[in-house]
Amino acid sequence: MLVQSALTIAGSDSSGGAGIQADIKTMSALGIYSCTVITAITAQNTSNVDHILPLSASIIKKQIESVLSDIRIDAIKIGMVYNNEIITTISDLLEKSKIPIVLDPIISAGTGAQLLQKEFLSDFKRKLVPICDVVTPNIHEAEKLSGIKIKNENDIEKTALKIQKLGARNVVVKGGHFRNDDKTIIDTILNEHGKFTVVRNPRMKIVETHGSGCNFSAAVTAFMAMKIPVVKACLLANKYVHNSIANTVKIGKGIPVNNPISTMYEESCRYKVIEELARAVDQLISIRNFADLIPETQSNIVYAIPNAKSIEDVAGVNGRIVKAGDRSVPTSSIKFGASRHVASSILEYMKTNQQVRSALNIKNDKRVLDKCTKLFRVGHYERKLEPKVIKEKEGRSISWGVNIALSKNPDADIISHSGDVGKEPMIIIFGCSPQEVVDKVKKILDDKNFE
Ligand code: PXL
């Protein structure tokens, strides 16, 4: 398999959220092989940069030469460069290169430390900006590179034009730090023909995150390594970073860290969920007498991804599992968003216990409920007591009921209700996996009464 490769020339961040570490994660998650040239080693955590050790020009030169003399590199990213020696070394080696270069003009860390020594800003502008295809400043960096104070949207465009005049072909000014209002983030892309593209995204509640700038420039580099044109690469990177910010992790005492592998992780979870659920459905329908447990409204078995937030994050049988004579059959394939009722019960349960991700509804008659009570921890709610305001809201009844049952019995394996006018009594079996739910069904049916 031919793999596209990118090279990141950047500093190491011991907290793992920014720098080289962020670049490797981002590029790898996007399917791009990443080579690394380390310019400096930082000792830092989520609150502070405690120490910086810039590496010598000679070892930086050797790393770049080793990589480029052997490996086909499709795009290069330049991150933290710290001092004049490092700037000159990179510039001398890459100024004639035909490989697309993305420059993330890192001046200081989100936690405050100077990552480019102040006296070298003019060298940075003179030697690195002109050799790049794209420069990706945030608002503060755009102000420093252009010398223009940004007060309004118009000023953002002025800084982009000024930075382009320094020699960069394309410029993206990231608007996360620009607060015209609290609702929107404006990213401004200026392409090599002088055309502006302005992207507006709703501002998320997260105040400050570590690594988002590195994730963005690494993603632009990865998309450019795939030969995607610059503006499109920036738009895709924008979307990608949005997701990695939405899934930040609080790993230390300081600011939360971006999670650039969240997209890939979620996709692989979705695949595993479908696979496991399909296997469980096959087992379920082959259980003798399972059809006896199917209620009039039919059954569904669901499985949610970790951290599921909506019905679209819960897989179920499209249609349902229906009773056909003495057999049970799924009416269609397995899909995310296929169930509403059983899915809302698992979403509610996950608010109490994130490990419990699977559920199945079966009929509630005395015989089944007695057996469940003997075998499991059973929670209960009275559907008849459902307040009018809940009844009126489509789809709220089940979550209301599960919440009540769990408040009395937080470890319930089973939750039952005894129905209401026009509402069939029901039992829901919960488990950490669909296999666990199927095993509970087997236990319920493993009784002389059911033969
Ligand atoms: O986020 C900018 C950045 C880049 N590179 C390194 C860093 C940081 C921020 O802390 O440490 C090495």
Side-chain angles (χ1 to χ4, degrees), residues 110-125:
T111 50
Q114 205 67 29
L115 300 179
L116 171 66
Q117 291 189 311
K118 276 202 179 88
E119 59 269 41
F120 301 124
L121 181 65
S122 64
D123 291 292
F124 185 94
K125 293 201 301 199

Side-chain angles (χ1 to χ4, degrees), residues 288-438:
R288 209 160 69 84
N289 295 343
F290 174 62
D292 289 350
L293 295 184
I294 296 181
E296 275 169 34
T297 51
Q298 317 294 354
S299 281
N300 210 336
I301 181 166
V302 301
Y303 193 23
I305 59 168
N307 300 318
K309 291 183 185 75
S310 78
I311 278 171
E312 290 307 317
D313 297 333
V314 184
V317 178
N318 201 16
R320 288 188 192 181
I321 301 173
V322 300
K323 187 173 166 142
D326 58 358
R327 288 189 323 123
S328 54
V329 270
T331 54
S332 179
S333 57
I334 285 162
K335 248 180 69 173
F336 279 94
S339 154
R340 223 158 37 91
H341 287 96
V342 192
S344 49
S345 75
I346 199 66
L347 287 170
E348 188 61 35
Y349 204 119
M350 287 175 81
K351 290 182 192 161
T352 304
N353 184 347
Q354 281 280 326
Q355 306 302 318
V356 176
R357 287 164 40 209
S358 184
L360 162 75
N361 69 311
I362 57 171
K363 80 172 169 195
N364 183 1
D365 64 21
K366 189 173 175 322
R367 199 168 61 135
V368 181
L369 190 58
D370 285 350
K371 190 73 203 281
C372 288
T373 313
K374 252 196 257 164
L375 290 167
F376 306 111
R377 291 162 295 200
V378 179
H380 187 80
Y381 65 96
E382 276 306 328
R383 184 123 183 204
K384 292 186 195 80
L385 301 181
E386 184 184 357
K388 200 159 163 260
V389 282
I390 304 280
K391 261 187 199 161
E392 280 162 0
K393 279 203 188 136
E394 181 67 17
R396 284 282 294 114
S397 306
I398 307 244
S399 36
W400 166 82
V402 169
N403 182 288
I404 292 194
L406 288 178
S407 64
K408 286 183 265 173
N409 195 343
D411 297 322
D413 304 287
I414 304 261
I415 292 180
S416 75
H417 74 77
S418 42
D420 191 3
V421 182
K423 300 287 173 200
E424 190 183 8
M426 201 69 68
I427 285 174
I428 302 181
I429 306 173
F430 293 93
C432 295
S433 66
Q435 183 64 57
E436 210 180 289
V437 171
V438 169

Side-chain angles (χ1 to χ4, degrees), residues 44-102:
Q44 64 175 302
N45 54 33
T46 59
S47 305
N48 278 309
V49 177
D50 297 317
H51 195 77
I52 297 173
L53 173 70
L55 298 189
S56 70
S58 131
I59 186 65
I60 293 169
K61 181 166 185 274
K62 282 180 182 145
Q63 290 178 81
I64 297 175
E65 285 173 345
S66 285
V67 172
L68 293 185
S69 64
D70 177 38
I71 301 163
R72 200 203 65 204
I73 295 294
D74 299 292
I76 298 175
K77 166 185 160 167
I78 303 172
M80 174 183 175
V81 289
Y82 198 61
N83 64 27
N84 191 23
E85 265 189 58
I86 299 176
I87 293 170
T88 309
T89 305
I90 298 170
S91 166
D92 287 351
L93 282 167
L94 297 183
E95 67 181 343
K96 296 212 168 61
S97 164
K98 299 247 175 342
I99 304 168
I101 300 176
V102 177

Side-chain angles (χ1 to χ4, degrees), residues 237-274:
N238 186 295
K239 218 170 149 196
Y240 181 78
V241 170
H242 190 85
N243 216 8
S244 81
I245 295 176
N247 290 288
T248 47
V249 281
K250 180 92 172 111
I251 47 151
K253 299 185 194 82
I255 57 176
V257 171
N258 263 22
N259 190 354
I261 61 166
S262 60
T263 307
M264 187 181 73
Y265 178 68
E266 189 185 312
E267 279 164 9
S268 84
C269 280
R270 282 179 184 271
Y271 175 76
K272 284 188 212 148
V273 158
I274 296 272

Side-chain angles (χ1 to χ4, degrees), residues 11-13 18-20 42 44 49 80 106 108-110 115 210-211 214:
S12 162
D13 168 7
I20 284 278
T42 69
Q44 64 175 302
V49 177
M80 174 183 175
I106 290 159
S108 51
L115 300 179
H210 182 58
C214 296

Side-chain angles (χ1 to χ4, degrees), residues 166-179:
L166 296 174
R169 251 169 253 151
N170 304 269
V171 182
V172 191
V173 184
K174 298 167 293 181
H177 297 96
F178 175 66
R179 285 191 177 264

Side-chain angles (χ1 to χ4, degrees), residues 1-16:
M1 190 171 87
L2 185 67
V3 180
Q4 279 139 337
S5 304
L7 166 65
T8 167
I9 303 173
S12 162
D13 168 7
S14 53
S15 81

